[in-house]
Amino acid sequence: MRARKIITGRGALGGIAEGPAMISRQTITGWGGVDIFTGKVVETGHPLEGMSIKDSVLILDGSKGSNGWSVFFHAAKEAGCGPAALVFPRLDSRTAVTAAVLNVPLVTDIAEDLFALIRVGDRLRIDGDRGIIEILG
Amino acid sequence: MKLSDKEKGILDGYEGPVRQKAMELIVRYGRIVGAEALCKVTWADLFCGSHHYLDVVSSDDFDIVFSKMSLCSSETVNLETMDSQCICFSGVDADCSEVPDGMLMPPDKKTRNARFLSRFVDAGVVLSGNCIPYLTGFIPLMGEHFVSCESSAVLYMNSVWGACGNGDGIEASFCAAVCGRTPLAGNHLPENRIGTDLVAVNVAPKSVSDWDLLGFTIGRQLPPHAVPVLIGDFPRPNSIQLKAFSAALACAAGTELCHIVGLTPEAGTSAQALNHRKPNQTLAIGTIDMAASMEELNGHGRQKIDYVSLGCPHYHIDELRRIAAYLDGKRIHADTTVHLWTAGSIKYMADICGYTNTIEKAGATLLTGSCPSTRGYPDGVRTAAYDSSKQRISAAQETNAKLFYGSWEECLQSAISGYWEGR
């Protein structure tokens, strides 16, 4: 069990949610990168390939590829496989729209290097009102 | 965020539930990015039709699907009109009017797509059916605010024209078109349009294909969120080469704005493009980088080629003219399917110029509106070749076929012999 750690940023969309971290410094190609019916990452060679974003805390460094980035996450949510919360260390317009569309807790503007602090599967609590990421273990 | 009385009225529902729902999403988006105000959107390139991601909604009712997936509303509202001040295009189509063998959309889906598009026409959307709005009359001027569902179009219009748009997303584009507003943030603000990274182009791209490869090569080395500024003594690109460059760069890096010193309007000099600031870095692009990109994109070996898809982004009429001249009197191999993709309005020109006839006599098919990414692949494709790095990258998620990448000449030469003839 790791010691609990608190990381703070800006709470950009309110609410509190817990879930396992789905984290990658390498962002997912939105268009086609996620299976919309299962929430599984299907991008070939991606570090999270084969894992599902369902009920996770999704942490990615920006977006890439199509402006259709948001709809794949949105469609997965509609199919019951969306993430529980989002953390984008720095926002761009596509990640911001994705958060607005999913309407789940969001923490952003984080100075620390999350990708060095959090591992895939770590249990996290996200407080989107206060901008707090808590590593539970 | 400061809203005008008009915007508050829309948010409070005084202009109907559809505009209210759209404004709710736009305001939520604006608050997330910390926008202080909204700006008026006068051009909107949307993603209309019955696209495959909508299949997650178990309903064929347009208003249920549009409310959930475009307005992000669990309450169903009825779309009547887009904002009266906003010129709306329908974007790339989910279908194409010419139906090649093995790519048939089931009749029920075709009907549903036509029904959805008809509702958009009634709401004031022009059925443009292409991914190159900037070549077919979608022309936001310098400083004008637009939304577009096409990443390559956002990069092109921001960079080449100085118009202002963000990548946003498909839902935010629809909502902006309905309520006529988008957050005054990102590329809509001059301070965010300043270059961040210099890119020293130490190669000499000459062809459309070279510019496609250069866009991919820069894109795979750029850090996230960068606004690159291209410098160097390289040949001046034309608008067709910049179309390919924009698609490749936007796809590889998510870039929304790229200055080219001496060419694009906000980059008379590198100092102007950087607003006299020090760049984060100077990224040097040389022949080794271009070769590494080719190695990453292209398959190996002289294999049989089942499928060739060209025209991503959709072909300009001059590209079709060149292809018609190349194919004149030649014959595509019987085992290879060749699809060329363009806009309907451009195909009209190709028809009356005789290019379509020449292309089809050679055994290739000229299609409009769509592409394999939105339309799907012919059955049984084991190997496929592209002249676009964007299409090649997308294909890796869309097909299990072995993928090849080269210039359009290499792709067509391969289609004629039936075997990959590229590098």
Side-chain angles (χ1 to χ4, degrees):
Chain A
M1 178 71 83
R2 294 160 68 189
R4 285 195 178 196
K5 178 166 171 63
I6 302 279
I7 302 157
T8 55
R10 175 170 73 90
L13 202 52
I16 295 172
E18 282 185 27
M22 279 281 279
I23 181 166
S24 170
R25 200 184 291 278
Q26 182 187 331
T27 188
I28 299 169
T29 298
W31 192 263
V34 173
D35 181 278
I36 57 175
F37 291 100
T38 63
K40 277 190 183 167
V41 177
V42 290
E43 181 174 348
T44 312
H46 193 277
L48 302 177
E49 185 181 354
M51 302 174 73
S52 174
I53 61 170
K54 185 181 179 186
D55 300 329
S56 71
V57 175
L58 185 63
I59 308 176
L60 296 171
D61 192 13
S63 61
K64 72 174 177 186
S66 168
N67 288 0
W69 208 78
S70 55
V71 294
F72 273 70
F73 298 99
H74 185 185
K77 180 186 179 182
E78 193 59 35
C81 300
L86 298 169
V87 177
F88 297 125
R90 190 177 157 190
L91 283 176
D92 58 37
S93 67
R94 280 175 272 229
T95 49
V97 167
T98 302
V101 164
L102 297 181
N103 206 7
V104 294
L106 165 68
V107 178
T108 184
D109 296 345
I110 297 154
E112 288 182 86
D113 183 6
L114 289 184
F115 304 96
L117 295 172
I118 297 173
R119 292 175 300 205
V120 174
D122 282 354
R123 186 137 196 99
L124 306 178
R125 178 182 294 137
I126 304 302
D127 184 336
D129 295 300
R130 296 190 296 157
I132 292 173
I133 302 161
E134 190 175 358
I135 305 173
L136 302 175
Chain B
M1 192 189 328
K2 188 169 165 40
L3 299 180
S4 68
D5 290 344
K6 167 90 172 166
E7 290 158 358
K8 278 184 208 155
I10 297 173
L11 190 61
D12 290 340
Y14 290 112
E15 297 194 15
V18 178
R19 280 165 74 77
Q20 182 183 29
K21 296 294 175 197
M23 185 59 92
E24 283 174 4
L25 191 279
I26 292 296
V27 168
R28 188 155 70 237
Y29 169 27
R31 288 189 174 133
I32 288 169
V33 294
E36 293 177 3
L38 305 179
C39 56
K40 285 186 186 174
V41 173
T42 43
W43 294 87
D45 177 40
L46 305 167
F47 198 61
C48 301
S50 180
H51 287 281
H52 61 75
Y53 73 94
L54 300 175
D55 292 348
V56 292
V57 181
S58 52
S59 172
D60 273 340
D61 183 280
F62 172 83
D63 289 304
I64 291 175
V65 175
F66 186 75
S67 298
K68 272 183 193 284
M69 299 306 292
S70 301
L71 300 174
C72 309
S73 164
S74 52
E75 181 193 334
T76 300
V77 291
N78 299 321
L79 177 68
E80 289 175 359
T81 65
M82 297 297 178
D83 184 83
S84 62
Q85 302 301 306
C86 188
I87 299 169
C88 299
F89 274 32
S90 66
V92 76
D93 200 352
D95 195 10
C96 59
S97 52
E98 312 82 3
V99 183
D101 293 342
M103 290 179 80
L104 282 166
M105 194 181 236
D108 57 330
K109 286 203 78 174
K110 271 185 100 71
T111 310
R112 172 174 134 134
N113 187 51
R115 190 160 46 79
F116 280 22
L117 289 178
S118 154
R119 285 294 303 275
F120 285 114
V121 171
D122 293 346
V125 178
V126 174
L127 296 187
S128 55
N130 67 69
C131 62
I132 45 165
Y134 50 90
L135 291 184
T136 58
F138 187 98
I139 310 173
L141 299 178
M142 190 166 192
E144 200 170 359
H145 304 288
F146 71 91
V147 293
S148 174
C149 58
E150 284 296 336
S151 58
S152 60
V154 168
L155 175 54
Y156 189 102
M157 294 187 283
N158 269 315
S159 309
V160 181
W161 293 344
C164 302
N166 288 320
D168 295 334
I170 287 168
E171 303 91 338
S173 301
F174 275 121
C175 290
V178 169
C179 74
R181 299 290 189 278
T182 197
L184 184 62
N187 298 318
H188 296 290
L189 289 170
E191 59 264 35
N192 296 325
R193 300 177 64 87
I194 297 166
T196 60
D197 296 59
L198 280 180
V199 179
V201 178
N202 300 324
V203 292
K206 293 186 188 72
S207 63
V208 174
S209 172
D210 292 343
W211 278 93
D212 186 275
L213 190 62
L214 178 63
F216 177 78
T217 304
I218 295 172
R220 70 186 176 84
Q221 296 183 57
L222 268 186
H225 316 288
V227 177
V229 178
L230 269 57
I231 54 171
D233 185 23
F234 52 85
R236 190 181 170 92
N238 66 21
S239 57
I240 300 171
Q241 290 160 343
L242 287 178
K243 168 169 75 80
F245 174 75
S246 298
L249 177 56
C251 179
T255 309
E256 297 177 349
L257 173 59
C258 172
H259 302 295
I260 304 177
V261 172
L263 182 74
T264 57
E266 293 158 273
T269 62
S270 57
Q272 183 199 355
L274 294 165
N275 198 27
H276 305 282
R277 291 182 194 166
K278 194 169 174 289
N280 294 335
Q281 63 164 334
T282 300
L283 178 67
I285 300 293
T287 49
I288 290 174
D289 304 292
M290 297 282 270
S293 295
M294 183 57 93
E295 181 73 16
E296 186 175 331
L297 291 167
N298 195 11
H300 295 282
R302 193 173 181 273
Q303 295 202 1
K304 279 195 82 165
I305 291 295
D306 295 330
Y307 183 52
V308 175
S309 178
L310 307 176
C312 168
H314 286 155
Y315 271 148
H316 185 280
I317 187 64
D318 189 64
E319 294 177 288
L320 292 175
R321 180 182 69 82
R322 289 170 193 273
I323 284 173
Y326 179 89
L327 286 177
D328 192 15
K330 298 190 176 82
R331 184 72 203 162
I332 302 292
H333 194 279
D335 296 338
T336 307
T337 299
V338 178
H339 290 156
L340 311 176
W341 299 91
T342 191
S345 55
I346 289 175
K347 181 168 181 290
Y348 172 78
M349 289 191 273
D351 288 350
I352 60 173
C353 291
Y355 306 154
T356 309
N357 187 44
T358 305
I359 287 166
E360 301 207 334
K361 260 172 72 179
T365 310
L366 183 57
L367 302 167
T368 63
S370 192
C371 71
S373 292
T374 47
R375 190 67 181 75
Y377 279 75
D379 295 333
V381 169
R382 292 155 303 171
T383 50
Y386 311 89
D387 65 343
S388 153
S389 60
K390 175 178 181 173
Q391 189 75 84
R392 157 67 188 82
I393 295 295
S394 303
Q397 268 82 247
E398 296 159 358
T399 171
N400 293 321
K402 186 169 182 189
L403 306 173
F404 294 83
Y405 167 81
S407 67
W408 65 262
E409 293 97 327
E410 288 169 327
C411 289
L412 287 178
Q413 192 187 349
S414 305
I416 290 164
S417 74
Y419 287 85
W420 180 243
E421 304 282 2
R423 282 161 277 182

